[in-house]
Amino acid sequence: MMNDRPVAEYRVLLTVDIEDYSSRSDAEQRALQSVLSESVDRAADAARLRRQEWLRQMGGDGFYAVLPPNTDVTRLMDTFVRELDAELGMHNRRRAGDHWSRLRLRLAVHAGPIHIDGATGWPGHHVVQPARLRDSDPVRAAMHAVPAADIAVIVSSEVYRDYIVQGPGEPRPSDFRQVHVAVKKQAYEAYLYLPGHDIHEVASLAGHQAGAQAPPADPGAQDTSGGTDLRVAPETEAGHRPSPSAGRDFIGHQTTKVTDSGTMNIAHGDMSFGSERPSGRQR
């Protein structure tokens, strides 16, 4: 008799984080949380993404979501992103309420096989990748360079290759800029998009192009955006860090910490941008 073995499920993974959350007052943070939740729900409903079936992990300054099987990624990238950007724009222009403050978001999308039945979370190295992309230096640099942007969207190479390039719908492949995200021994090719703005015209990103010399990462680096502890995993006596390929990465339902062994492993400063515009589908 064969033993039952856990079977991974292919899922779309989405994570979003509020920029500069920790600098806000308690009342402003509470207001921003409400606006974020309501804006995401309205955008998801507009895109018919079955949000009632989302598996969510809330983090105060954002959330992580595993979307239901057979999610339409085209609607996610087109309608959902467009409607979410519009919701942010309305909030930011309205300037209403005693505790109003501007809301800007970093959003990452990835897809891959994960286990949704872990005892304390969702095991699988695919689960870690979206948060690493979301909090990467290229995304932060783009948001800093384009203060008019309300949202920055970064997608994995898999999402770009399988959905953005293949189409149909928006955004177009030419709306994205290829970036290289390096986190210690792990590296990801990804694609960055600023809705309503030309990412290729951001002159300050020249230093993040592929092949540019990246500043050394601080082994004790810690994210200061608020709410999430992003320390680099310590080295072993042999000088090695655990590899995500071992499949021990997970995101827990009660914590926003993620790493190769349970805490998010992100190093800042060793990311760079690709220099060429990506080729895309014919329109």
Side-chain angles (χ1 to χ4, degrees), residues 215-281:
D218 178 3
Q222 183 173 357
D223 184 286
T224 58
S225 61
T228 305
D229 186 355
L230 307 180
R231 294 185 179 87
V232 176
E235 292 186 352
T236 64
E237 293 182 0
H240 301 292
R241 290 185 176 87
S243 171
S245 62
R248 294 193 302 272
D249 297 336
F250 70 93
I251 285 186
H253 300 309
Q254 301 299 326
T255 176
T256 56
K257 297 180 180 179
V258 182
T259 69
D260 303 319
S261 59
T263 303
M264 188 177 297
N265 180 3
I266 292 181
H268 299 293
D270 53 353
M271 294 79 172
S272 59
F273 273 89
S275 58
E276 300 294 332
R277 290 192 183 207
S279 60
R281 61 181 184 270

Side-chain angles (χ1 to χ4, degrees), residues 69-194:
N70 302 316
T71 290
D72 189 328
V73 179
T74 299
R75 288 206 299 261
L76 172 67
M77 294 304 305
D78 190 337
T79 307
F80 174 79
V81 170
R82 182 176 65 250
E83 292 295 324
L84 182 56
D85 186 40
E87 291 282 345
L88 297 176
M90 287 189 291
H91 166 78
N92 292 334
R93 290 191 300 271
R94 187 177 297 120
R95 297 176 176 267
D98 294 336
H99 305 296
W100 177 93
S101 63
R102 189 178 179 193
L103 177 58
R104 304 178 79 206
L105 299 177
R106 301 189 306 272
L107 184 149
V109 180
H110 178 48
I114 67 168
H115 296 275
I116 63 172
D117 57 353
T120 59
W122 306 310
H125 67 273
H126 284 284
V127 180
V128 178
Q129 183 173 343
R132 286 174 169 170
L133 298 180
R134 179 199 66 199
D135 294 331
S136 66
D137 278 4
V139 178
R140 295 179 184 275
M143 292 289 279
H144 178 76
V146 187
D150 291 322
I151 186 171
V153 181
I154 187 168
V155 303
S156 66
S157 59
E158 292 88 346
V159 169
Y160 181 82
R161 178 196 65 213
D162 295 340
Y163 300 101
I164 302 299
V165 171
Q166 300 303 319
E170 301 289 339
R172 300 183 181 187
S174 58
D175 294 326
F176 290 79
R177 181 167 182 166
Q178 185 176 8
V179 297
H180 182 74
V181 176
V183 185
K184 293 301 179 180
K185 295 182 180 180
Q186 296 300 311
Y188 307 99
E189 298 301 319
Y191 293 81
L192 183 59
Y193 167 51
L194 292 181

